[in-house]
Amino acid sequence: MATKRNSTDDPLAPVTLAVGQEDLLLDRAVQHVVAAARASDADTDVRDLTPDQLQPGTLAELTSPSLFAERKVVIVRNAQDLSADTVKDVKAYLGAPAEEITLVLLHAGGAKGKGLLDAVRKAGAREVACPKTTKPAERLSFVRSEFRALGRSATPEACQALVDSIGSDLRELASAASQLAADVEGTIDEEVVGRYYTGRAEASSFTVADRAVEGRAAEALEALRWSLSTGVAPVLITSALAQGVRAIGKLSSARGGRPADLARELGMPPWKIDRVRQQMRGWTPDGVAAALIAVAAADAGVKGGGDDPEYALEKAVVAVARAARSGGR
C-alpha cells in the first residue's frame, strides 16, 4: 500500500525517506530496502537506530568508507525526534552520500522535525508514503491490495467482510489476508471470511449498524454489547451508524437505475447498492434526518460530551432502528 512520491523506485537509492505514522507500512518500507540490499550482497550490514542512539558524530562514523567496501543499510527511526546536532550531521551527509550505503529515514511527518523533512526531500531522496489509514475505504483498499500482492482473488464482499471482522489494525488485516490466501483454494468469498472469523464478524461495528438500519433493534443492541465487550472502539460504532444512515439517505434521493450506474453516481460499489436497497425499506426522509441527529448526539457522547458512552450508543441504536420502521416518529 505504501507508495513512492517521486519517480525513483530503486530501493538501493542513497537515501530513502519513509513518511507517515502507519507502523506496518513503515516496517515494510524498511524491509523492502533491506531485502534489496541483501539480494545484492548477502553480507549487508544493517544498523537499526533510534534517535537516542544517534549522538553527534555517530552517523559520520557509521557511513565512513570501509576497506572492504561492504554494503550497509543505516535505518534511523523517528527522525523527527533527532537532536539539532544530529540533524546537522544528516544534512551534511545528504550533500555527499557514501557509496554502498543506503540511509533510511523514518519520519512521522507534520511540523516536528519539518526542517529535516524538507532538506531530505530537497536532496532528492526516494520517498515512500506510509499514512495512517483512518477511513474505512482506505482499509478496504489495503485488503484488496494485500490479496493482489498474494496473487489471490477475493470478492468485494469478502474484502468488506474482512474489514468489518478485523477492524482498523493493518497488521491484523494483513495477517488475516495471508492466512486466507494460504488456507483457501480458489476465489475467497464472504462465506469463507465468515467461517474463519465468526464471532469477530458478529462483534464488528458494521454489524451493529446493519442490524440498526434494518430496524432490528434487539439484534443491534446484542451486537453492540458484544462489540463493546470485545474491545471495539465506540467511535467506530458511531462512524458505522453514520455511514449506514447516510448511505440510505443517498440512495433514497438518487435517481433509479442499474446498480452500476448508481454506484458511479453515489461513489459506492455495486454490491453495496444492492445491500442498501434491501435495508432502506421503511425509511423516510424524516427518518433519515432523525437518525442522523441521534447518531451525532451519540458521537458527541462517546468523544467526551457525556458521562456514559455505552448508554449514548444504546440510545442511538434504538433511535436508528425506530427510524427505520417509523420514519423517526
Side-chain angles (χ1 to χ4, degrees):
M1 183 172 176
T3 56
K4 61 185 185 306
R5 286 177 61 101
N6 61 16
S7 59
T8 303
D9 196 27
D10 180 8
L12 297 182
V15 181
T16 286
L17 173 66
V19 183
Q21 298 180 41
E22 187 57 68
D23 289 340
L24 174 65
L25 302 185
L26 290 168
D27 285 346
R28 284 185 173 181
V30 170
Q31 291 164 7
H32 190 199
V33 172
V34 171
R38 286 184 169 155
S40 175
D41 180 354
D43 295 324
T44 294
D45 182 17
V46 178
R47 304 293 182 91
D48 197 332
L49 306 167
T50 55
D52 61 295
Q53 295 173 304
L54 271 177
Q55 303 301 319
T58 303
L59 182 63
E61 180 182 339
L62 289 171
T63 57
S64 60
S66 167
L67 290 175
F68 303 101
E70 65 178 353
R71 179 170 291 283
K72 185 181 292 185
V73 176
V74 178
I75 303 155
V76 179
R77 297 183 183 272
N78 298 313
Q80 72 278 358
D81 295 330
L82 290 173
S83 68
D85 288 337
T86 303
V87 168
K88 290 179 182 178
D89 289 349
V90 175
K91 290 181 177 179
Y93 178 79
L94 295 173
E99 293 185 11
E100 301 299 316
I101 293 179
T102 298
L103 176 63
V104 183
L105 297 170
L106 277 57
H107 194 294
K112 188 176 184 181
K114 190 173 185 300
L116 174 61
L117 190 61
D118 292 342
V120 179
R121 285 171 168 163
K122 187 175 181 181
R126 169 180 175 264
E127 184 170 344
V128 181
C130 305
K132 200 75 175 176
T133 55
T134 58
K135 299 177 180 178
E138 294 171 343
R139 292 190 283 275
L140 183 59
S141 177
F142 173 79
V143 168
R144 288 171 176 163
S145 69
E146 287 295 291
F147 282 123
R148 283 196 298 269
L150 292 165
R152 298 303 307 277
S153 175
T155 66
E157 294 86 350
C159 294
Q160 183 66 62
L162 195 61
V163 173
D164 292 351
S165 302
I166 301 300
S168 60
D169 190 304
L170 291 198
R171 289 189 189 279
E172 290 194 22
L173 286 169
S175 176
S178 179
Q179 179 184 19
L180 289 167
D183 292 355
V184 178
E185 295 183 0
T187 299
I188 297 165
D189 58 20
E190 187 176 15
E191 181 181 352
V192 168
V193 174
R195 187 165 67 246
Y196 267 69
Y197 298 100
T198 182
R200 295 194 68 162
E202 293 171 0
S204 76
S205 56
F206 286 98
T207 298
V208 178
D210 283 342
R211 300 295 85 78
V213 300
E214 290 162 3
R216 295 152 66 179
E219 293 177 41
L221 287 171
E222 182 180 358
L224 171 65
R225 289 165 191 142
W226 184 257
S227 295
L228 294 173
S229 71
T230 55
V232 176
V235 68
L236 294 180
I237 298 173
T238 56
S239 176
L241 285 167
Q243 289 181 55
V245 176
R246 289 194 191 107
I248 287 171
K250 284 182 179 180
L251 190 56
S252 63
S253 61
R255 298 186 301 274
R258 298 177 303 169
D261 296 331
L262 287 170
R264 284 191 294 271
E265 180 183 343
L266 302 178
M268 299 180 191
W271 64 265
K272 188 170 183 179
I273 296 291
D274 291 335
R275 176 179 292 180
V276 176
R277 272 179 168 166
Q278 295 174 0
Q279 293 174 333
M280 62 188 289
R281 295 167 186 159
W283 280 91
T284 68
D286 287 343
V288 171
L292 287 175
I293 291 171
V295 173
D299 190 55
V302 303
K303 291 178 179 177
D307 296 328
D308 190 341
E310 183 173 340
Y311 178 63
L313 284 170
E314 289 181 355
K315 283 183 62 179
V317 165
V318 171
V320 170
R322 183 184 300 120
R325 294 305 180 206
S326 63
R329 293 185 295 275

